[in-house]
Amino acid sequence: MLVAEPMAGLGAQEAARRFAEEGPNLLPGGNPKSMFAIVAGVFTEPMFLMLLVAGGIYLALGDRAEALFLLGFVFVVIGITLAQERKTQRALESLRDLSAPRALVIRDGQEIRIPGREVVRGDLLVLHEGDRIPADALLRAGQFTVNESLLTGEAVPVAKLPGAADAAFAEPGGDGTPYLFASTVVTKGVGTAEVRAIGAATAVGRIGQALAATKEPPSGLQLSSRKLIRNLTVAALLLATIQVLLGWLWNDRSLLESLLSGIALAMAILPEEIPVILTVFLALGAWRMSRQKVLTRRVPAVEALGAITVLAADKTGTLTQNRMQVAELAVTGEAFRNEGASDLPEAFHELAEFAMLATPADPFDPMEKAIQSFGERWLAGTEHLHDNRAPEFHYDLSPDILAMTQVFPSGEPSRHVLATKGAPEAVADLCHLPQAERDEIQRQVMLMARRGLRVLGVAKGDWRGSEWPQSQHDFSFTFLGLVGFVDPPRPAVPAAIAECRAAGVRIIMMTGDHPVTALAIARAVGLSERAAVITGPEIAALDDAALRGRLQHVDLCARLQPEQKLRLVQVLQQAGEVVAMTGDGVNDAPALKAADVGIAMGERGTDVAREAAALVLLDDSFASIVAAIRQGRRIYDNIGKATRFVFAAHVPIIALALMPALLHWPVLLLPVHIVLLELIIDPACSIAFEAEPDAADIMTRPPRPVTTSPFEAGNLTHAVIQGIGMAVVLLLGHGMLVGQGFSDAESRAAVFAGLVLGLFLLILANRDLSRTAIAGLAANNPWIGRMFAAVALLLVIVLAVPFLRGVMGFAPVGAAQLVASLALLGGIGLWLELLRRIGAGLLVAK
């Protein structure tokens, strides 16, 4: 029990009443974009401004129908933008709800975990090492240290001691105070605290909006896309200017007509869909991953998932079930197996007793919880169980001594009882055993480790004195025996590891366990058949170059200190690897932050680890990591497909807007045509391609190089070639139709219908470059059929409704025009199939 006196905490009804009165425990922060802000953003878009200018020009020319159509389309654009923003916003809001801090509170005498936003004044918080404190509070029981650097700028943790219930709050900083502040971090110890202030009333809340309204930096894809769009915008303005001059000075068109053709060309060139693709795909991809128990705390991390080459996985709870149990006790010449036992022989009572004494009263570590559960079961009713005994002093685990000691008063003046547990070799060293006894202990440890047990040594001691020694080595200990723990592997891990191996992702196990235990678990889950293991002491003795060489041949790192994980991540990155790493503790945070993709444990992880990581496993399962890698690859694939489609679709539109001016033809595409085409291109990008399922080979291909991009030459070159072929077919078709006596309006209608149907064929072709476009109809994507129905309906309405037909400059459609449109569609299909067969060298880099 944490507290010296009973504390029932608030009742559930009282907590609900206070929550209704005081509101949620939330810091001031950025609110979702309002409808007004979204509409204002649309008004500043280049495409929108060009629509307004084109509408004004149509009015000046007296074409009111065309002007009304264009200006009406403004509201369509606003509607589409609002729908996309809301869809993205809902996904991000659900992620924020999942990633909100959690709090352990006592209500009605029971410990329950609730969202941090539901904490109210008067709640009793139960705080452990690694927790981020959810509200300003007064420490009532226990003692610990807290990092208050967020408020004070001082990196050294400060000690906290219990205070009286009527204590008034003081400013942050200073040792020995009972005051705890929201958003600071418990770095050591456990305790209970009474909440005094929440939300904006806390010290951090009073700092103001700037602290909470942090803005996520743009991702690599977003930066590269902005650069590309900026360059294309400049090119669009230059070409549009040339188009205006050509039409006005060379083709003898009026200035207003020339401006309309120039605006149409600029609208055709601008790929304004690219920002939509990145925003929607990454946000919805993160939301999809949350449904597979993987929470994305930083959306740009989704990009890196498909490039991961090394996954450094913690053993406990990730590869195993994190259901640590005491399986075996060993004392000199005897062993006790827990499974199936009916009683604990007296010879093992002292070992179990001192293992419990060496464990905190309210443990956080799974092994310590297992010790406590074991002792409470087998020592109940004996003199060996000490429920209310509190240590007077303790020595923590350190890199130099892999053991911890708790010091208890004995009841005699200046005499203390010592309880120690830790790595068997470290405990044996503290006991100053002769080499023969150490060898025997090591032999027993190896036998237990080969059965997959994690082994701790336990010792007792007796000390007289008034000043605590500097080191545990200054005490005299007696070795009591060994405690073996079992944590079974997760059933889904072997298949997930095999999937990773097929995907070219190397897995390295990082654990604090004994090397033999690590090897036994690795073999049980199919991680490694090699006997090579590198230990923490060996890592410490190697320089970075030598360690880099060893890691090429080693998959298991045992007896690690948490601080060594950071070095391993950095060494792997120096070798050119893209590293994902799992972690759960406070000391894992630097490595999680340094990794390309840091992955924290959601069930057993500390708040600090979760906040340092890019992803959080809500179920702590290794299989969920593999599912996230699969999702990351799918998202990146689909961004590539959508980008390729956008650029391919814009090329024939550009050609149909530009070439008539160069060939002295009448205008083929005007702004009204292009805005209608955007009704096809936008949904195709943000809906159809986002919903594309995994490719069949998605987890059998190697990771993509981290330097690749959907905007690289290979992808865009293939797209441009697709578009050029379509443009040639459509322009030749127009020329042939005019040559056979079709009027400009009849030819324009046939070419536009061919272009619209060709865009749908282009969607099918870019779903999978290895298959024919028609085969794309059979693939599993529910939006493809809906897209085709929408495209066909839109085309029928535009060609059949006289008003719209007049606005578009189309003649009534007859059988000859339908045949011509289908012929153009056939020509586009043949070109796409020919390109698929002969253009393997130009395909996008996967």
Side-chain angles (χ1 to χ4, degrees):
M1 192 66 185
L2 272 175
V3 294
E5 56 184 277
M7 287 188 180
L10 292 176
Q13 291 184 346
E14 176 62 16
R17 185 188 68 80
R18 294 191 183 189
F19 181 80
E21 289 181 356
E22 300 169 2
N25 176 35
L26 295 174
L27 293 174
N31 294 318
K33 288 176 69 175
S34 66
M35 182 176 295
F36 176 79
I38 295 171
V39 173
V42 173
F43 272 77
T44 60
E45 289 288 332
M47 182 67 76
F48 178 84
L49 296 176
M50 285 187 283
L51 283 174
L52 289 181
V53 172
I57 293 173
Y58 273 122
L59 283 175
L61 290 172
D63 296 329
R64 294 181 180 179
E66 288 86 344
L68 290 174
F69 182 84
L70 273 183
L71 296 177
F73 187 76
V74 167
F75 295 100
V76 177
V77 171
I78 292 174
I80 292 174
T81 305
L82 284 172
Q84 290 170 339
E85 283 276 355
R86 186 58 192 145
K87 189 175 183 180
T88 303
Q89 192 169 291
R90 280 198 301 266
L92 293 176
E93 284 172 358
S94 67
L95 293 177
R96 276 195 294 270
D97 291 341
L98 285 171
S99 62
R102 302 173 300 167
L104 188 63
V105 300
I106 299 175
R107 288 184 180 172
D108 292 323
Q110 301 293 320
E111 290 186 4
I112 60 171
R113 192 168 292 279
I114 62 174
R117 68 188 302 276
E118 295 179 9
V119 170
V120 298
R121 284 189 309 108
D123 261 329
L124 280 178
L125 303 173
V126 181
L127 299 168
H128 296 82
E129 176 182 323
D131 285 350
R132 187 170 291 279
I133 299 170
D136 284 4
L138 184 75
L139 184 62
R140 297 293 305 278
Q143 61 183 63
F144 44 58
T145 59
V146 177
N147 185 331
E148 296 183 345
S149 59
L150 177 70
L151 298 173
T152 65
E154 177 57 56
V156 178
V158 294
K160 299 292 180 178
L161 299 175
D166 58 353
F169 251 71
E171 292 300 314
D175 279 309
T177 68
Y179 316 116
L180 308 176
F181 299 94
S183 296
T184 60
V185 178
V186 179
T187 57
K188 185 186 297 184
V190 294
T192 56
E194 181 182 347
V195 174
R196 293 296 183 86
I198 63 170
T202 62
V204 69
R206 291 192 298 271
I207 290 175
Q209 300 281 344
L211 183 65
T214 54
K215 193 172 183 179
E216 188 174 275
S219 68
L221 277 180
Q222 288 168 331
L223 288 173
S224 58
S225 69
R226 288 176 187 176
K227 181 179 178 181
L228 177 66
I229 291 170
R230 188 165 56 247
N231 294 338
L232 287 174
T233 301
V234 173
L237 293 175
L238 289 175
L239 288 175
T241 302
I242 295 171
Q243 171 90 330
V244 171
L245 294 175
L246 283 174
W248 185 30
L249 301 177
W250 192 28
N251 290 329
D252 296 325
R253 296 177 190 159
S254 70
L255 178 59
L256 292 180
E257 288 178 328
S258 300
L259 282 173
L260 279 178
S261 64
I263 290 171
L265 178 60
M267 292 172 66
I269 294 174
L270 283 178
E272 83 285 349
E273 302 88 357
I274 296 298
V276 174
I277 291 171
L278 296 181
T279 302
V280 172
F281 280 43
L282 293 177
L284 291 184
W287 174 75
R288 289 179 191 276
M289 287 198 295
S290 72
R291 299 175 70 184
Q292 297 179 316
K293 304 296 184 182
V294 181
L295 170 63
T296 306
R297 296 196 72 256
R298 284 187 280 279
V299 172
V302 176
E303 293 178 28
L305 282 170
I308 290 171
T309 58
V310 172
L311 174 55
D314 190 24
K315 177 185 74 66
T316 303
T318 307
L319 299 177
T320 62
Q321 297 179 25
N322 196 30
R323 296 178 181 172
M324 197 71 76
Q325 296 177 339
V326 174
E328 187 174 328
L329 301 183
V331 298
T332 305
E334 296 184 68
F336 168 78
R337 302 285 175 84
N338 192 11
E339 188 175 2
S342 57
D343 67 315
L344 180 69
E346 181 66 32
F348 298 95
H349 281 203
E350 188 176 38
L351 172 58
E353 174 189 5
F354 277 86
M356 279 198 73
L357 287 174
T359 298
D362 185 50
F364 180 73
D365 181 82
M367 293 174 66
E368 292 182 330
K369 287 183 177 181
I371 289 173
Q372 188 179 68
S373 175
F374 180 88
E376 289 173 350
R377 176 189 176 190
W378 291 111
L379 299 181
T382 73
E383 73 278 10
H384 298 286
L385 189 62
H386 311 281
D387 284 334
N388 299 316
R389 203 166 186 180
E392 190 172 329
F393 195 75
H394 67 271
Y395 293 85
D396 290 326
L397 193 79
S398 70
D400 299 327
I401 304 175
L402 298 178
M404 61 175 292
T405 298
Q406 297 214 105
V407 184
F408 297 86
S410 68
E412 300 179 22
S414 300
R415 179 175 175 270
H416 295 81
V417 175
L418 311 173
T420 295
K421 73 176 188 302
E425 60 269 27
V427 175
D429 184 52
L430 290 175
C431 295
H432 307 295
L433 297 176
Q435 190 60 46
E437 292 186 31
R438 294 192 193 195
D439 291 344
E440 177 57 28
I441 290 171
Q442 189 61 27
R443 186 189 68 81
Q444 184 66 34
V445 168
M446 296 293 284
L447 290 174
M448 296 171 74
R450 287 195 183 101
R451 296 196 295 276
L453 301 183
R454 186 170 183 176
V455 186
L456 292 181
V458 179
K460 69 175 183 177
D462 190 83
W463 180 74
R464 295 178 184 272
S466 57
E467 293 186 7
W468 306 116
Q470 292 292 319
S471 170
Q472 299 174 74
H473 275 296
D474 297 325
F475 293 120
S476 176
F477 291 102
T478 300
F479 193 84
L480 295 178
L482 301 171
V483 182
F485 303 82
V486 64
D487 185 13
R490 290 180 181 265
V493 166
I497 287 176
E499 192 172 10
C500 271
R501 189 172 286 120
V505 179
R506 180 185 171 206
I507 300 170
I508 296 178
M509 180 196 289
M510 294 185 177
T511 179
D513 283 355
H514 191 282
V516 177
T517 305
L519 189 59
I521 294 295
R523 286 175 173 163
V525 299
L527 175 59
S528 178
E529 293 298 326
R530 296 185 291 196
V533 182
I534 189 170
T535 65
E538 291 173 330
I539 290 171
L542 297 174
D543 60 25
D544 287 354
L547 180 57
R548 215 163 24 243
R550 283 291 302 276
L551 288 176
Q552 292 178 2
H553 309 288
V554 171
D555 296 327
L556 307 178
C557 301
R559 281 286 184 255
L560 282 183
Q561 292 294 309
E563 296 82 2
Q564 290 178 315
K565 293 181 179 180
L566 173 59
R567 185 183 174 206
L568 287 170
V569 167
Q570 292 171 335
V571 167
L572 287 166
Q573 288 173 327
Q574 290 166 9
E577 306 286 0
V578 179
V579 182
M581 198 206 89
T582 68
D584 58 2
V586 176
N587 290 331
D588 291 333
L592 289 171
K593 198 166 187 178
D596 297 283
V597 181
I599 305 171
M601 302 298 107
E603 291 184 345
R604 75 176 194 277
T606 61
D607 287 346
V608 175
R610 284 192 289 267
E611 290 177 10
L615 303 178
V616 178
L617 298 185
L618 300 179
D619 59 358
D620 290 5
S621 171
F622 182 82
S624 296
I625 302 176
V626 181
I629 293 174
R630 173 184 286 273
Q631 275 291 336
R633 291 188 174 194
R634 184 194 71 83
I635 293 165
Y636 196 88
D637 277 2
N638 290 347
I639 289 175
K641 293 174 184 179
T643 302
R644 191 167 58 240
F645 165 75
V646 165
F647 278 84
H650 275 261
V651 171
I653 299 174
I654 293 169
L656 293 178
L658 176 63
M659 293 307 293
L662 299 177
L663 299 174
H664 292 275
W665 287 354
V667 174
L668 276 176
L669 289 186
L670 292 169
V672 289
H673 302 121
I674 293 174
V675 295
L676 197 63
L677 292 169
E678 291 296 328
L679 285 177
I680 300 171
I681 298 174
D682 273 356
C685 298
S686 59
I687 299 176
F689 281 110
E690 194 283 326
E692 276 293 288
D694 306 344
D697 66 341
I698 198 164
M699 291 299 282
T700 57
R701 69 173 86 128
R704 64 174 176 83
V706 73
T707 54
T708 60
S709 165
F711 313 114
E712 65 183 6
N715 200 30
L716 298 188
T717 300
H718 188 80
V720 170
I721 293 175
Q722 282 183 325
I724 288 174
M726 287 182 62
V728 169
V729 171
L730 293 170
L731 288 170
L732 286 176
H734 173 69
M736 292 174 65
L737 291 174
V738 171
Q740 291 179 4
F742 280 67
S743 69
D744 292 337
E746 290 173 332
S747 178
R748 182 183 294 118
V751 169
F752 185 82
L755 174 59
V756 169
L757 295 173
L759 289 179
F760 181 75
L761 201 59
L762 196 61
I763 293 172
L764 299 179
N766 281 286
R767 294 187 68 198
D768 186 348
L769 294 177
S770 65
R771 301 194 303 173
T772 63
I774 298 302
L777 287 170
N780 183 26
N781 185 333
W783 287 101
I784 295 299
R786 299 169 192 171
M787 280 288 299
F788 178 73
V791 168
L793 179 62
L794 180 68
L795 193 57
V796 168
I797 291 174
V798 169
L799 295 177
V801 177
F803 170 75
L804 292 177
R805 198 169 58 231
V807 168
M808 293 289 170
F810 296 155
V813 178
Q817 289 167 287
L818 290 176
V819 171
S821 297
L822 292 176
L824 292 173
L825 178 64
I828 291 172
L830 288 174
W831 166 248
L832 293 176
E833 177 61 18
L834 179 65
L835 182 61
R836 183 186 74 82
R837 290 175 180 269
I838 67 174
L842 298 174
L843 294 182
V844 61
K846 297 285 184 174

